[in-house]
Amino acid sequence: MPKYKVLLSYPMEDKPNMISILNGNGTIVKNITQQLEVTSGPGTNNRTLFTPYTAYSMNGTATGKLIYINEGNKVDFEELDNSSISINGSIVLSRSFENFYPAAIMAAKRGAKGLLYYPDPNKFAREGMGENSTYPNRPWLASDAVILAGIYGRFGDPETRLMPSVDGIRRITFNDAKDSLPILIQPISYGTARMLFQRIDGDAVPFKWRRDLTSTFRCDQNYTKNNWTIKLSINNQLARKTIYNVIATITGREEPDRYVFFGNHRDAWVYGAADASTGTSLLLETSRVLMKLVKQGWRPRRTIKFCSFGAEEFGLMGSVEWLEENSYIFKERGVAYLNTDVPVQGSHTLLAQTSPLLMDLIYKWIRQVKVPVDEGRNESMFDVMMSRGPASSIPGYPQLRNFRYLSDFIPFYFTNGIPSADFSYFYNYTKEGDFELYPTYHTQEDTFYWIEKFADPKFEIHRSMTLLMGGMLIDLADSLIIPLNVTRLKDALRKAYFALTASSSPLIKATLVQQHISALNRSLVKFSSQCDSFNSEILQAKVSDKVDPLKVRTLNNQLNMLGKAFINPRTKSDNPAIVQHVAFSERFNGVLNALGKTNDTSEIQEQLSIVNVAISSAAKILKSIEIVSQE
């Protein structure tokens, strides 16, 4: 149980955050206390005090006109700018939970004092906002549900950046007025948002923004009927807390120094039945079954580590600190990480986020594991994904996604290069071919009642997800050759190259940049050729009548090292301490970031060089190693 002392952010239950409506004289007309009593489901008498807040929001008080900013994305702020609407000195209101962090950054740059954000009922209450259409009668969010999140833009303990938060490590002072965004932030329900909208008169809001709660309200500071303002008071508190990870280990027999990780986080914003208790149930069930096998005499070829991380919701605290403490060991020994954060949030189809090396292993197991599609009929996950999921760029295969939803795989993959994957069975709808989070995400309505009533009444998806992830875990830990497919990595790198050369940036045409791109292409050709040769070696080792243990060990060492070649701390990133991977999501992100944020071709050349070295090193890693006979 490794423990870490980290800085967390909490609301003050005896002094909850407050929204006050003031009239033209500055007199409080109405106080909206951000606190309510909640239960874990209908018929439950045990009531809990729920104090909504945004972790790490700056504390203080701000007063200003309320201005609606739609989703608060770049296009919305451009719409305000084009309409000559200033948000300087205001409190802004956004209907987007998913976009609230970048919205807060852009609003702060334009002088806003505070941000209120609420769950868009068009997404989270699709059947209407009445009692009969929402929780607990239907799966959709009720009008008083509030989505919680954190605003701390980094990962890990704010006081020990890049170092584990253990005894003997220097701590830096975290000042919420300096280190937080210079803006007050508070989540509210769409019921509270509706009440605020009703006090905004006029018809100045862009027509395309009127899809929300009322058709007549303004988004500027020129109210005519009510000269009222909003006073936002944030009273959060920072507290240094001891958190624990729980790590269980089954030591491997032949390769005990090779680690396969299987884990998720244990904490939740409120009840957290889907996020992340469904993952904890999979973790516990898988460990129970494998320990039963161990008692019967079985041991995996490689070491398995079951991981239950603490304080993930605050910024991946448990996993980041553990990786920071053990980075040198895990980077050398880590084979793969399987993440089971929210494995069950519905019964529609599977979303698998993965790095390329694990794709074929996933395809293998989703063909074998079946799930219910209707009463009395099951189909393989593979077939369900083909019929219900978004279209794939690989003909004949369902779509496997690049990483989109953040979780504890971040420090494993993006900082240490350990091949990783994350799995979640999504709720029963997609929008425009894309996935959307389940309605009660991060709210007080993410309860066991909701899971049992609406997501997986017979817990059949839970069983299927356990079979899926348990099967992959055993394959990774017990196969003679580690089941990582280098061809998928080759394909992903080639796609990243094409995405780069298709860039519209004029800088890409510069002579020196083109020279580096040509060199990069040559390295890709060498890597592709080496992948083909390496695949032939693996095939020969698998079909050989006599297995050479040293050859197997050599091949596995090469596979284990391959992903680590793509980690470089000089990769240009918005979060360079964590995101050090030079090629993910089928993009050379450091290069594309440099193209988008500088006119200096020297920085672009540097990022191209970093990618070139990574691919060249990967080719050298896969180069055949001669085994000298001892006879």
Side-chain angles (χ1 to χ4, degrees):
M1 292 179 65
K3 62 180 181 179
Y4 306 98
K5 190 164 288 186
V6 300
L7 190 71
L8 303 182
S9 173
Y10 294 98
M12 297 180 67
E13 292 189 351
D14 59 345
K15 192 179 180 182
N17 298 335
M18 182 82 71
I19 300 171
S20 302
I21 300 175
L22 313 179
N23 64 18
N25 298 322
T27 303
I28 296 176
V29 176
K30 183 178 181 63
N31 280 327
I32 307 169
T33 303
Q34 294 297 280
Q35 192 174 59
L36 61 159
E37 288 189 340
V38 297
T39 71
S40 59
T44 303
N45 295 323
N46 186 15
R47 307 185 72 82
T48 302
L49 194 63
F50 175 47
T51 308
Y53 78 117
T54 296
Y56 302 103
S57 167
M58 189 176 71
N59 289 323
T61 301
T63 303
K65 290 284 189 177
L66 184 68
I67 299 181
Y68 180 60
I69 59 172
N70 200 35
E71 291 186 343
N73 56 37
K74 184 179 179 180
V75 173
D76 293 330
F77 281 105
E78 290 174 351
E79 181 78 29
L80 292 172
D81 294 340
N82 293 336
S83 302
S84 299
I85 296 174
S86 171
I87 63 171
N88 184 48
S90 69
I91 309 295
V92 296
L93 175 63
S94 169
R95 66 177 172 88
S96 175
F97 154 72
E98 299 93 331
N99 194 59
F100 86 91
Y101 181 67
I105 295 175
M106 288 185 281
K109 288 180 178 178
R110 287 168 167 79
K113 295 180 179 180
L115 167 69
L116 303 176
Y117 63 93
Y118 66 94
D120 182 359
N122 292 281
K123 293 182 179 180
F124 294 93
R126 292 185 172 230
E127 297 179 10
M129 294 176 279
E131 291 186 5
N132 293 331
S133 303
T134 57
Y135 182 90
N137 299 302
R138 297 292 295 153
W140 308 101
L141 275 190
S143 62
D144 62 349
V146 184
I147 298 182
L148 272 61
I151 198 66
Y152 173 50
R154 301 175 185 266
F155 297 117
D157 180 25
E159 295 185 317
T160 60
R161 294 169 183 168
L162 303 179
M163 301 291 285
S165 51
V166 296
D167 292 341
I169 299 300
R170 174 179 174 268
R171 292 183 176 273
I172 60 175
T173 301
F174 181 91
N175 186 315
D176 71 341
K178 183 180 73 173
D179 295 293
S180 297
L181 288 176
I183 188 172
L184 306 182
I185 305 172
Q186 176 67 25
I188 61 175
S189 65
Y190 66 77
T192 297
R194 190 175 193 178
M195 185 272 295
L196 293 173
F197 274 126
Q198 290 171 348
R199 292 177 176 266
I200 306 177
D201 67 304
D203 199 27
V205 69
F207 180 79
K208 58 187 176 184
W209 289 7
R210 298 178 198 170
R211 59 192 289 264
D212 281 69
L213 301 170
T214 178
S215 60
T216 57
F217 56 87
R218 302 186 69 88
C219 64
D220 58 14
Q221 301 190 34
N222 299 318
Y223 307 136
T224 55
K225 293 181 181 178
N226 302 303
N227 185 27
W228 60 283
T229 56
I230 288 287
K231 179 181 179 182
L232 177 60
S233 302
I234 303 296
N235 305 305
N236 300 340
Q237 56 184 333
L238 295 169
R240 195 177 290 168
K241 297 283 187 178
T242 298
I243 66 169
Y244 294 87
N245 296 333
V246 182
I247 313 297
T249 302
I250 301 176
T251 304
R253 193 186 300 273
E254 287 88 355
E255 300 179 56
D257 59 335
R258 292 287 177 256
Y259 301 160
V260 179
F261 304 93
F262 184 88
N264 79 312
H265 66 96
R266 194 173 57 258
D267 62 311
W269 282 118
V270 198
Y271 295 109
D275 181 10
S277 293
T278 60
T280 297
S281 70
L282 264 69
L283 182 72
L284 292 174
E285 175 67 359
T286 305
S287 63
R288 181 190 69 81
V289 172
L290 265 61
M291 200 59 206
K292 188 175 180 180
L293 291 177
V294 169
K295 291 179 179 179
Q296 294 173 358
W298 172 83
R299 277 198 179 272
R301 182 181 184 88
R302 299 170 196 92
T303 294
I304 294 174
K305 287 188 175 291
F306 295 98
C307 314
S308 178
F309 298 118
E312 184 264 2
E313 298 290 8
F314 291 92
L316 314 181
M317 296 292 176
S319 57
V320 167
E321 298 306 315
W322 195 51
L323 268 293
E324 287 178 344
E325 184 179 22
N326 300 284
S327 178
Y328 293 108
I329 297 173
F330 292 168
K331 188 175 290 186
E332 196 277 331
R333 299 180 183 178
V335 172
Y337 174 65
L338 300 180
N339 193 59
T340 174
D341 188 342
V342 194
V344 183
Q345 54 174 288
S347 58
H348 185 63
T349 192
L350 175 69
L351 170 65
Q353 305 180 101
T354 184
S355 50
L357 288 168
L358 289 168
M359 289 178 67
D360 271 18
L361 179 66
I362 296 172
Y363 284 137
K364 170 188 173 180
W365 279 96
I366 60 176
R367 287 185 186 275
Q368 297 186 49
V369 176
K370 293 188 175 183
V371 288
V373 291
D374 51 39
E375 191 65 34
R377 188 170 67 89
N378 295 334
E379 290 183 3
S380 71
M381 285 187 178
F382 186 100
D383 291 337
V384 173
M385 292 171 73
M386 288 291 288
S387 62
R388 294 181 177 178
S392 173
S393 60
I394 305 175
Y397 289 87
Q399 184 189 82
L400 301 181
R401 292 293 293 264
N402 301 309
F403 293 110
R404 171 182 173 181
Y405 300 101
L406 305 182
S407 188
D408 289 307
F409 56 78
I410 294 288
F412 286 91
Y413 182 60
F414 288 89
T415 313
N416 291 278
I418 299 170
S420 301
D422 175 81
F423 304 86
S424 184
Y425 219 88
F426 264 63
Y427 193 62
N428 66 352
Y429 64 86
T430 60
K431 180 183 179 183
E432 298 174 353
D434 202 0
F435 292 90
E436 291 184 345
L437 291 167
Y438 64 104
T440 60
Y441 177 73
H442 278 195
T443 71
Q444 71 268 33
E445 294 173 0
D446 184 358
T447 62
F448 181 83
Y449 169 87
W450 188 90
I451 290 287
E452 188 175 33
K453 178 76 172 177
F454 303 113
D456 190 19
K458 297 181 180 179
F459 293 88
E460 294 170 306
I461 304 297
H462 283 74
R463 178 180 184 275
S464 297
M465 292 297 291
T466 307
L467 290 171
L468 172 70
M469 299 192 67
M472 286 187 289
L473 175 64
I474 293 175
D475 250 4
L476 287 164
D478 212 26
S479 295
L480 179 68
I481 304 295
I482 301 172
L484 302 176
N485 191 304
V486 299
T487 300
R488 297 295 186 186
L489 177 58
K490 176 184 70 174
D491 294 342
L493 292 174
R494 182 57 66 182
K495 288 180 181 178
Y497 175 81
F498 290 141
L500 172 64
T501 55
S503 170
S504 60
S505 171
L507 297 174
I508 207 77
K509 305 298 183 183
T511 301
L512 290 175
V513 173
Q514 280 294 310
Q515 290 175 1
H516 283 80
I517 290 176
S518 296
L520 176 59
N521 185 50
R522 291 193 294 272
S523 294
L524 268 174
V525 171
K526 290 180 182 179
F527 178 71
S528 298
S529 176
Q530 203 61 66
C531 284
D532 296 339
S533 300
F534 185 76
N535 282 334
S536 297
E537 285 195 77
I538 288 181
L539 181 61
Q540 186 176 357
K542 288 181 177 180
V543 301
S544 176
D545 294 334
K546 184 179 179 180
V547 177
D548 184 345
L550 183 55
K551 183 62 176 178
V552 169
R553 176 70 179 187
T554 300
L555 292 171
N556 282 336
N557 282 346
Q558 291 171 283
L559 285 165
N560 186 60
M561 291 174 62
L562 183 58
K564 290 55 178 287
F566 295 90
I567 299 300
N568 191 311
R570 294 168 65 188
T571 300
K572 187 173 180 61
S573 164
D574 292 333
N575 196 340
I578 292 293
V579 181
Q580 301 177 14
H581 204 290
V582 307
F584 64 92
S585 298
E586 299 176 347
R587 294 160 60 89
F588 299 136
N589 290 274
V591 182
L592 295 177
N593 283 337
L595 281 170
K597 297 180 181 179
T598 181
N599 290 319
D600 183 4
T601 60
S602 63
E603 186 170 357
I604 299 167
Q605 293 173 57
E606 179 185 23
Q607 292 300 312
L608 283 167
S609 299
I610 289 171
V611 176
N612 197 349
V613 169
I615 295 174
S616 177
S617 298
K620 292 173 182 177
I621 287 171
L622 295 184
K623 188 176 180 180
S624 180
I625 299 174
E626 182 181 359
I627 306 296
V628 179
S629 174
Q630 301 299 314
E631 297 179 359

